[in-house]
Amino acid sequence: MNNIYMVFFDLGLNKGGITSAVLNRSRYFYKNGYPADIVTFDYKYNSSKVVKELKKSGKMYSETKLLKFRTPNSVDNP
């Protein structure tokens, strides 16, 4: 089965609109048998904390993964 990847810039705790839509779509796809993960381009040092809080609050589905796109010139890339 193919994975679905939803790409957008930023994932945060106090976001609405597109973030809510992406989180809801991921939940819907996963519950219907389609792995649907999120890819962001924004670098955050606390992204694992954000994901943990979103999952704890029920806004992000427990199976959803956050993938961070990095280029060779990213700040955190050695």
Side-chain angles (χ1 to χ4, degrees):
M1 179 177 300
N2 293 330
N3 281 34
I4 297 168
Y5 295 99
M6 293 169 282
V7 180
F8 73 118
F9 183 74
D10 185 22
L11 182 68
L13 294 174
N14 298 315
K15 302 278 184 173
I18 190 86
T19 301
S20 295
V22 167
L23 293 172
N24 287 332
R25 286 179 184 161
S26 176
R27 176 188 324 280
Y28 174 82
F29 284 127
Y30 260 107
K31 285 186 171 184
N32 287 283
Y34 299 95
D37 297 314
I38 299 169
V39 179
T40 66
F41 292 96
D42 188 29
Y43 177 77
K44 283 190 171 59
Y45 288 100
N46 67 343
S47 62
S48 59
K49 181 180 176 184
V50 169
V51 169
K52 184 184 282 187
E53 287 296 318
L54 287 170
K55 288 183 177 185
K56 182 179 174 183
S57 71
K59 292 180 181 177
M60 181 182 233
Y61 190 61
S62 60
E63 299 296 316
T64 302
K65 295 173 197 69
L66 175 65
L67 308 168
K68 296 185 285 184
F69 181 79
R70 303 254 197 300
T71 65
N73 297 325
S74 295
V75 219
D76 66 330
N77 199 354

